[in-house]
Amino acid sequence: MRSRRESYSESTRSALVRSAVELFTKRGYAGTSLDEIARRARVTKGALYHHFSGKQAIFEAAFDAVETEVKGRLEKILRGSQPPWERALEGLREFVNSCLDPAYQRIAIHEAPVVMGWQRWRQAEDRYSFGLIRAGLQDLIDAGDVVDVPVEITSRLLFGALSSAATEIASSPEPERVGAQVQEVIVRLLHQVRSGTRG
């Protein structure tokens, strides 16, 4: 059982991360100060430094929070009771919806590659997204919905396509329209590798 101090420390950290997500979404990394993050979280700057070494560390915590939320929603869909093909289509819809979310757009897509560096950002995206894509594709193959393609390389290609799609959606002045186009194109591509034994 956690002590009162541990519970307070955890709630303080959560408040700081929520504050950081809100401010980084609204103002971006460069336009947000640690003083503002602490003030919005209603804690002292010393309390902030107790949990985070600096601005980049709290940004990475905000990034993790945004990505974890999206991953959780996608995992729930992909582990659902629907047939694999329906789960894949619903997961795609949820991914596109996530790309329309201002926090995901600003923090995970626009800011993270610059703040974290491209290599570390790609590794983080790999950790959050690639496993879901690979598992979803494997389920489709196992169910006979998709022809028996090489799972690893096909997952990598899908991962790259979806990463590019996320950037296109987030960078567009008409993100809803681009999101709908992305969804349509990827569904068509999936149909190209769908097994002829299914309708």
Side-chain angles (χ1 to χ4, degrees):
M1 185 174 177
R2 289 178 304 175
S3 68
R4 183 177 297 179
R5 174 179 283 186
E6 287 172 330
S7 296
Y8 177 75
S9 179
E10 187 175 304
S11 66
T12 299
R13 187 184 190 283
S14 296
L16 284 164
V17 172
R18 284 195 303 272
S19 172
V21 168
E22 291 169 10
L23 287 167
F24 288 137
T25 299
K26 186 177 180 181
R27 301 181 186 176
Y29 184 79
T32 299
S33 72
L34 291 177
D35 286 321
E36 289 175 303
I37 292 171
R39 190 162 52 247
R40 180 175 283 245
R42 298 185 177 184
V43 303
T44 65
K45 197 170 179 183
L48 184 152
Y49 277 114
H50 175 72
H51 292 279
F52 302 102
S53 59
K55 191 173 173 181
Q56 180 162 340
I58 199 167
F59 175 86
E60 291 186 15
F63 170 84
D64 285 339
V66 170
E67 286 283 7
T68 298
E69 185 176 330
V70 171
K71 183 181 180 183
R73 292 199 299 266
L74 291 172
E75 281 181 330
K76 185 176 180 181
I77 290 168
L78 294 177
R79 291 175 179 169
S81 59
Q82 290 181 300
W85 183 260
E86 295 305 317
R87 294 202 305 266
L89 296 183
E90 189 178 343
L92 175 60
R93 285 191 291 271
E94 180 57 45
F95 170 77
V96 170
N97 286 337
S98 295
C99 292
L100 297 173
D101 176 69
Y104 190 77
Q105 284 186 2
R106 188 73 181 262
I107 294 173
I109 300 173
H110 288 310
E111 299 275 1
V114 177
V115 176
M116 298 167 65
W118 193 85
Q119 187 66 35
R120 286 191 65 229
W121 172 70
R122 287 296 290 179
Q123 288 171 351
E125 286 292 302
D126 198 272
R127 186 172 71 250
Y128 282 111
S129 306
F130 179 72
L132 293 176
I133 293 170
R134 193 184 193 289
L137 178 61
Q138 188 65 62
D139 285 347
L140 289 170
I141 292 171
D142 292 345
D145 282 320
V146 166
V147 295
D148 191 8
V149 293
V151 174
E152 193 71 21
I153 189 63
T154 306
S155 298
R156 286 286 168 198
L157 290 171
L158 284 171
F159 176 61
L162 289 170
S163 295
S164 295
T167 302
E168 289 298 316
I169 294 168
S171 302
S172 172
E174 299 178 275
E176 290 86 0
R177 181 180 64 82
V178 174
Q181 290 177 336
V182 164
Q183 189 170 313
E184 180 185 355
V185 168
I186 292 177
V187 169
R188 286 187 179 185
L189 290 173
L190 286 173
H191 273 289
Q192 292 300 311
V193 292
R194 195 171 190 191
S195 173
T197 60
R198 301 274 170 148

